[in-house]
Amino acid sequence: MKILLVEDELEFAETLRGVLEREHFVVDHVDRLALAREAARSKSYELVLLDRTLPDGDGLSLVPSLRADHPGLPIIVLSARGEVFDRVAGLDEGADDYLVKPFALDEMFARIRAVRRRPPELGAEHIRVASLVFDVANDEASVEGVRLDLARRELRVLATLVKRRGRTVLRESLEEAAFGFDDQVQSNTLDSHISRLRRKLAEAGAGIEIHAIRGVGYLLRASL
Ligand code: CA
């Protein structure tokens, strides 16, 4: 998971970076609004931690454009301004959460976990991974404009993997997404869906791999 950290108090930023990296997050740190805007344009992040009082303006002013460009991107505002008015302003601008400084690191991680549990692409219409484009609203997958011919369960498995691309998705979650309560699910049913999905993706030239994490689940990512 890659995080954009926007914070001008360098010592605090380094502390945050240290603890986040220990939890296996990848952190890009910037200390100005302008740099944050630039970074968000050129790189892709899965979370933004955003200070408010920055040398070139209020961090909140960045939220509407971040929202517009990356609808599903979770934004947590970090601020010493903890008045109700300020919190409401932060959430009104479209931030997902608001942490008042000083905060306990445990609380920060809890908030990060909470925003990550939400559907990552809420509001996003298309998710692109390598050459694959997944149309969330219409539940269709295509490569170079050509719609993939996928069976319903293959589509459900793909949708679940694409929405959580780059992360391991548990077998149970995939089975839950693809099968109803009453379906008889053999232990290898999911794997045969995955095999067919892999073959179809490869034939279409999607540039994607579905990596098996033995006994745990699967992970979808762009192939190298
Ligand atoms: Ca500040």
Side-chain angles (χ1 to χ4, degrees), residues 184-202:
Q184 292 295 318
V185 184
Q186 311 293 324
S187 60
N188 62 350
T189 312
L190 175 65
D191 307 287
S192 41
H193 285 301
I194 294 272
S195 314
R196 278 196 295 278
L197 201 46
R198 278 182 180 139
R199 200 190 61 231
K200 290 180 183 181
L201 289 168

Side-chain angles (χ1 to χ4, degrees), residues 6-9 51-55 78 101:
V6 189
E7 171 61 72
D8 65 321
E9 288 154 56
D51 182 30
R52 284 197 62 177
T53 322
L54 293 161
L78 311 176
K101 293 175 182 173

Side-chain angles (χ1 to χ4, degrees), residues 127-195:
I127 303 171
R128 175 181 272 280
V129 188
S131 303
L132 177 83
V133 174
F134 196 88
D135 177 339
V136 177
N138 297 308
D139 236 354
E140 283 177 3
S142 60
V143 174
E144 317 282 3
V146 179
R147 190 178 150 196
L148 299 186
D149 183 22
L150 301 177
R152 184 172 55 98
R153 296 195 202 289
E154 293 164 9
L155 193 60
R156 296 273 39 90
V157 168
L158 181 63
T160 309
L161 287 169
V162 162
K163 286 175 189 164
R164 294 161 72 183
R165 61 202 174 280
R167 296 183 232 157
T168 303
V169 184
L170 300 178
R171 295 186 65 87
E172 289 82 341
S173 309
L174 292 167
E175 287 172 350
E176 195 181 303
F179 304 102
F181 285 131
D182 300 321
D183 289 313
Q184 292 295 318
V185 184
Q186 311 293 324
S187 60
N188 62 350
T189 312
L190 175 65
D191 307 287
S192 41
H193 285 301
I194 294 272
S195 314

Side-chain angles (χ1 to χ4, degrees), residues 71-104:
L73 178 68
I75 303 167
I76 299 180
V77 173
L78 311 176
S79 178
R81 306 184 191 174
E83 299 299 325
V84 172
F85 171 80
D86 293 310
R87 291 182 188 234
V88 170
L91 298 171
D92 271 355
E93 288 294 346
D96 293 278
D97 211 337
Y98 202 104
L99 272 168
V100 178
K101 293 175 182 173
F103 50 82

Side-chain angles (χ1 to χ4, degrees), residues 11 13 25 33 36 41-42 58 65 75 88-89 112 135 142-143 152 176 201-202 204 211 217:
E11 208 170 305
F25 293 103
L33 267 180
R41 252 202 300 270
S42 56
D58 185 343
S65 63
I75 303 167
V88 170
I112 290 176
D135 177 339
S142 60
V143 174
R152 184 172 55 98
E176 195 181 303
L201 289 168
H211 182 65

